[in-house]
Amino acid sequence: MRVGRVYVMLGVLVAGLAGGVGVVRGATAAVHRINCGGVTNTIDPDGNVWKADYGFNAGGSVVTSDKTVLGVESTMQFLYQSYRADPKSQPGLNYTLSLAGSGAGNYQVNLYFAELGDALISGKRQFSVFGQGKLALYLLDVTAEAGYRTGLVKTFYVTTGLTNGSPDPLTLRFERSLKKPFVAGIEVIRVEGATPAWPTPTLPPSTNAPTNAPTTRTTTTTTAPDPAALMNMEVAARINCGGKKYLDNINREWAADFGFDGGNAFGTSLSMSDPDPDLLGTERNTPKNVDAFTYTLTMPRKGTYTVRLFFMEIFEQNNFPGLRIFDVDVQGVTVLKDFDISAETPFLTRIRKDFEADVGNNLQLTITLRRVQRAAKISAIEVLIPAITTPTTTTTTTTTTKTTTKTTTTTTTTTTTTTTTT
């Protein structure tokens, strides 16, 4: 038995039909029905009109196939046999859909998929989907969920607002992880009242540093006194990565960005509660087609330095664990492996990682940030070394007082180390 529309609600199969794929039938009033990659309007068996592809950003490519999609009846094959994809050379696949006729509010979004490419087995193609800038589908693997050349529908809900009295458009963004993302069909339905509860996408735990890496000490403290004063440390460098010279909230001076080889400077205007938004709100990161960048800093002398690296996630589209992952090397040793800022601290919240590093005769300290998934980045760098102390001479002072009475003689002797009374 073949089915018309195959539905997977919130990532869980609704009903057991046609090899474990569920179905919902019937005409439904929709704000948008798009046959992604299609070139003509098509009416489905329920009388719903699926319009030729529209609303997508410039770029992307269309893939078509005459292969039969499993679990889908013949009259619905048109929807799954074409899709819009995101080639690696393009800036990303996005749809922007007007809601001018239906207004701000709650919407159900149904996305239709069928793997027709070279991802014959699970784990070959994975991508994430964002609705209104929020993560809706995390690392979707169509083949793993439905099988190869088999129809799949994923559903989630979004809430839209108003800007200057006009309803905001509905936005969908497809983010590559493994191979290009794609979508075969989009259906947007207005929901009156509250939307059904749906779970946050399942995210993986953060990956710990490798066992051979130096021990890390992590803190999110933002108002501690100057550590150089507390620890008798000398400041070798303070750098506002991607930013200008800056005096922080406890009057410490951070130099404008220097010592880097590669990377782009970036800053955000988003409001944050951090006391130093002009320090943590700037960063240096890897450009899209560059894997790494390095800081090379000249230290004042040989010795063991404390290296403090400051991070903050300031991109809203990366505000979930598992999206931005990168490695950090200090002096050629990987000290952070598969580091994920969002897995360790909330959005727009600083986190600091501390390491010890030995600097030799060349006096060079190197810090390399290397992309794993999305851009590697850093907000600030602080390098400390124990201060050199000048030897001091201890002086011993002796005071003798002699007091005599008619029956007793007492002599008191005092030094800096002992006191004796006789």
Side-chain angles (χ1 to χ4, degrees):
M1 173 183 177
R2 291 181 178 177
V3 297
R5 291 198 225 161
V6 288
Y7 266 78
V8 176
M9 296 290 291
L10 313 180
V12 180
L13 291 173
V14 178
L17 293 176
V21 180
V23 60
V24 174
R25 291 296 302 269
T28 304
V31 180
H32 294 280
R33 282 194 176 95
I34 304 173
N35 180 14
C36 301
V39 295
T40 60
N41 295 347
T42 305
I43 301 176
D44 70 17
D46 299 315
N48 301 311
V49 178
W50 294 83
K51 293 186 177 181
D53 202 2
Y54 66 90
F56 53 88
N57 61 318
S61 63
V62 173
V63 176
T64 61
S65 173
D66 59 1
K67 301 287 186 181
T68 298
V69 177
L70 303 178
V72 178
E73 64 187 24
S74 60
T75 52
M76 290 298 295
Q77 290 290 321
F78 73 91
L79 184 60
Y80 297 90
Q81 289 178 329
S82 68
Y83 61 71
R84 182 162 294 278
D86 169 30
K88 190 173 183 179
S89 61
Q90 300 297 335
L93 177 60
N94 298 276
Y95 275 81
T96 302
L97 306 177
S98 173
L99 300 177
S102 52
N106 298 325
Y107 289 86
Q108 175 180 322
V109 179
N110 302 322
L111 301 182
Y112 294 72
F113 305 94
E115 177 58 68
L116 305 177
D118 57 358
L120 303 180
I121 60 175
S122 61
K124 293 296 184 180
R125 187 193 310 279
Q126 294 179 341
F127 56 92
S128 298
V129 182
F130 293 76
Q132 295 306 95
K134 296 183 177 180
L135 181 64
L137 302 174
Y138 176 68
L139 294 185
L140 176 63
D141 186 330
V142 175
T143 303
E145 292 203 24
Y148 183 67
R149 217 169 70 238
T150 302
L152 176 70
V153 178
K154 302 292 285 187
T155 297
F156 57 89
Y157 298 88
V158 298
T159 300
T160 64
L162 296 170
T163 300
N164 298 324
S166 299
D168 296 330
L170 187 147
T171 60
L172 299 172
R173 188 173 75 254
F174 298 78
E175 291 277 349
R176 170 194 304 267
S177 181
L178 296 174
K179 295 184 180 279
K180 60 189 178 186
F182 72 93
V183 62
I186 300 172
E187 188 174 37
V188 180
I189 301 170
R190 176 68 185 251
V191 177
E192 299 300 334
T195 57
W198 59 293
T200 301
T202 302
L203 303 174
S206 60
T207 304
N208 294 326
T211 55
N212 63 343
T215 301
T216 66
R217 300 188 299 276
T218 304
T219 178
T220 56
T221 301
T222 59
T223 58
D226 189 343
L230 290 178
M231 301 169 56
N232 192 32
M233 299 289 279
E234 174 183 312
V235 178
R238 283 197 180 108
I239 304 173
N240 183 13
C241 302
K244 300 178 181 179
K245 181 179 178 180
Y246 179 71
L247 191 67
D248 69 18
N249 74 102
I250 51 177
N251 295 317
R252 297 178 300 183
E253 185 176 293
W254 298 75
D257 201 6
F258 74 91
F260 54 85
D261 180 13
N264 285 339
F266 179 81
T268 183
S269 59
L270 293 175
S271 177
M272 63 182 72
S273 60
D274 193 278
D276 294 303
D278 291 332
L279 180 66
L280 275 298
T282 63
E283 65 180 39
R284 180 159 295 277
N285 57 39
T286 51
K288 187 173 183 179
N289 297 320
V290 176
D291 290 333
F293 64 94
T294 297
Y295 280 84
T296 302
L297 308 176
T298 300
M299 296 293 100
R301 60 183 180 274
K302 291 173 54 178
T304 299
Y305 287 76
T306 297
V307 180
R308 292 179 163 175
L309 307 180
F310 295 77
F311 305 93
M312 177 186 284
E313 184 53 72
I314 59 176
F315 284 79
E316 290 184 277
Q317 60 266 42
N318 291 319
N319 184 19
F320 284 94
L323 298 182
R324 184 196 303 279
I325 299 171
F326 57 94
D327 297 339
V328 180
D329 294 354
V330 176
Q331 296 296 72
V333 176
T334 301
V335 295
L336 291 174
K337 177 68 175 174
D338 292 337
F339 180 48
D340 184 339
I341 299 171
S342 294
E344 299 198 23
T345 190
F347 184 55
L348 295 179
T349 303
R350 74 166 69 183
I351 186 169
R352 192 187 81 207
K353 295 287 189 175
D354 291 3
F355 310 95
E356 302 298 320
D358 292 329
V359 172
N361 291 329
N362 66 358
L363 304 183
Q364 299 297 293
L365 173 67
T366 61
I367 302 167
T368 299
L369 294 99
R370 190 170 54 255
R371 173 196 301 269
V372 175
Q373 180 173 292
R374 302 193 182 182
K377 56 182 281 180
I378 188 167
S379 296
I381 299 170
E382 183 178 45
V383 184
L384 307 172
I385 187 173
I388 297 176
T389 57
T390 302
T392 58
T393 302
T394 302
T395 303
T396 301
T397 303
T398 303
T399 303
T400 302
T401 302
K402 184 174 181 180
T403 304
T404 303
T405 66
K406 185 163 45 175
T407 60
T408 306
T409 300
T410 302
T411 302
T412 303
T413 302
T414 304
T415 71
T416 58
T417 55
T418 61
T419 301
T420 303
T421 301
T422 58

